[in-house]
Amino acid sequence: MRVDTFDFDLPNERIALRPARPRDSARMLVVKPGEYDPLTDKGVRDLTSILEPGDALVFNDTRVIPAQLEGTRLRGDISAGVGATLHMRTGSSSWKAFVRPAKKLQVGDTILFEGFGARLTAEVAEKSDGGEVLLVFDQDGPALDAAIAAVGHIPLPPYIAQKRGEDEQDRKDYQTIFAEKDGAVAAPTAGLHFTSDLLQALTQHGVEQHCVTLHVGAGTFLPVKADDTNDHKMHAEWGEISEDTAEALRAVKARGNKVVSVGTTSLRILESSAQITGEITAFAGETAIFITPGYRFLAIDALMTNFHLPRSTLFMLVSAFSGRETMRAAYQHAIEQEYRFYSYGDASLLFPQHGAV
């Protein structure tokens, strides 16, 4: 499938640089394919009137780590600046990372990272295509985690970082209230819209709330450079669904209620599980699932998500769920109605096109 069929023009001013305050005051576009009027302008707080008692929201409880590191490459008497974005832990002392500039980096090079009184070094153990390397650090376990937290920065998406620097507020804004398990280098941004007041209102309405884990990798920022979706490589991410959560979600579907994924990250781990057995089951491991139109959804009945970049794997995913033409119309509506886009932007609540689930 040609990647350019997922392109659209987004005015620069539609990109949100800060989240709505309070978080649950964000707008939400409800998309119901096949209806006479498929697009309805709502707000996130309207979830209590849209969802039914017995439905279940599924959140991602990953926690964003300060995975953006700035350092110095050391090779003999030669040194040069280098930036690294950690994206997957592979051992107690090793991480896969995307580095820049990557062309002159060699296996065996040492990179020194310093900041806020902390010092951390890493050796380039492997080098792959696309600027990806394997870094082996001089510390491991909790000591490495503490050092990364000290020298690292919150890895704001490029479309925000290019316009302003990270500040202390981002360390709060770029975490959901569900954030519990360290490991993500990008926030599961649909979850940013939830507050304790909204969760309490949803509970009183009879809507269940469950958590899964998917440690979002930096690959989520990578543009699709291929001309055809078949030629695009997805980077693996680690995720987990507990047996108790899987059992609860199977019960939701069995009684005819909806499993509503909050974010494409929750969706990817749920669908990765369901593709193995045909239903949601316990899962722990890596997934590189790539969802494009034609995919048959097995796990979810609705998706709450933010507005995504043109030509991105996430816009392909929502097009697979609600239909490509429906989503193109929805995004055009959102642009005209001045919705706020991307990580700190507004939300959409998507229902499946006929036959998608």
Side-chain angles (χ1 to χ4, degrees), residues 1-9 224 226-230 290-294 309-320 323-329 331:
M1 190 173 297
R2 289 194 57 83
V3 171
D4 58 13
T5 62
F6 300 95
D7 203 0
F8 60 88
D9 292 324
V224 179
D227 293 328
D228 192 283
T229 57
N230 291 329
F290 183 20
I291 296 175
T292 58
L309 281 73
R311 301 174 67 100
S312 66
T313 61
L314 300 183
F315 186 60
M316 294 172 193
L317 184 155
V318 298
S319 296
R324 185 168 52 185
E325 293 308 312
T326 296
M327 291 312 301
R328 291 184 71 86
Y331 273 47

Side-chain angles (χ1 to χ4, degrees), residues 4-280:
D4 58 13
T5 62
F6 300 95
D7 203 0
F8 60 88
D9 292 324
L10 181 73
N12 199 46
E13 61 270 20
R14 296 279 73 78
I15 300 174
L17 299 183
R18 298 286 183 183
R21 303 198 191 284
R23 294 185 180 201
D24 59 8
S25 67
R27 301 168 70 190
M28 184 173 70
L29 178 62
V30 180
V31 180
K32 292 186 175 182
E35 294 199 356
Y36 175 75
D37 188 3
L39 307 178
T40 307
D41 298 306
K42 295 283 189 179
V44 169
R45 292 170 182 161
D46 291 316
L47 283 169
T48 54
S49 60
I50 296 170
L51 300 182
E52 299 174 347
D55 289 345
L57 289 165
V58 185
F59 303 99
N60 185 357
D61 63 5
T62 189
R63 182 175 178 81
V64 180
I65 63 171
Q68 187 74 53
L69 309 179
E70 299 295 331
T72 304
R73 186 205 72 199
L74 306 174
R75 187 192 304 153
D77 295 331
I78 302 174
S79 63
V82 63
T85 302
L86 308 179
H87 78 91
M88 176 178 282
R89 191 168 198 155
T90 60
S92 63
S93 62
S94 59
W95 277 84
K96 288 184 178 180
F98 296 109
V99 297
R100 64 183 198 286
K103 185 175 291 186
K104 296 184 178 180
L105 203 63
Q106 299 177 4
V107 172
D109 282 349
T110 296
I111 303 176
L112 171 65
F113 302 104
E114 292 182 293
F116 303 102
R119 178 185 175 96
L120 185 62
T121 62
E123 180 181 329
V124 179
E126 297 175 7
K127 184 178 179 182
S128 306
D129 294 335
E132 185 181 40
V133 301
L134 177 64
L135 298 178
V136 178
F137 291 91
D138 62 343
Q139 301 182 46
D140 60 12
L144 176 57
D145 297 340
I148 290 172
V151 304
H153 300 272
I154 291 294
L156 288 178
Y159 44 79
I160 295 177
Q162 290 167 1
K163 296 187 175 185
R164 66 169 181 83
E166 171 222 357
D167 56 31
E168 193 60 33
Q169 188 62 42
D170 288 306
R171 295 215 169 201
K172 300 175 183 177
D173 288 344
Y174 205 55
Q175 298 281 12
T176 71
I177 62 173
F178 315 98
E180 205 172 81
K181 300 174 182 176
D182 286 349
V185 302
T189 53
L192 295 177
H193 297 297
F194 287 84
T195 63
S196 56
D197 287 344
L198 178 57
L199 292 178
Q200 183 177 4
L202 287 162
T203 298
Q204 292 174 346
H205 185 58
V207 175
E208 296 182 13
Q209 298 153 34
H210 301 282
C211 284
V212 295
T213 304
L214 186 76
H215 291 322
V216 192
T220 191
F221 296 147
L222 294 180
V224 179
K225 296 181 178 179
D227 293 328
D228 192 283
T229 57
N230 291 329
D231 298 324
H232 178 69
K233 176 190 173 183
M234 291 287 286
H235 289 79
E237 299 164 312
W238 188 90
E240 182 176 26
I241 303 172
S242 71
E243 179 56 52
D244 287 347
T245 296
E247 182 178 357
L249 296 178
R250 289 196 300 269
V252 170
K253 294 183 79 70
R255 64 175 178 256
N257 280 106
K258 296 185 293 295
V259 171
V260 182
S261 175
V262 179
T264 57
T265 62
S266 297
L267 181 152
R268 293 203 300 274
I269 191 67
L270 290 169
E271 289 295 326
S272 296
S273 161
Q275 286 299 314
I276 297 173
T277 63
E279 63 179 3
I280 301 170

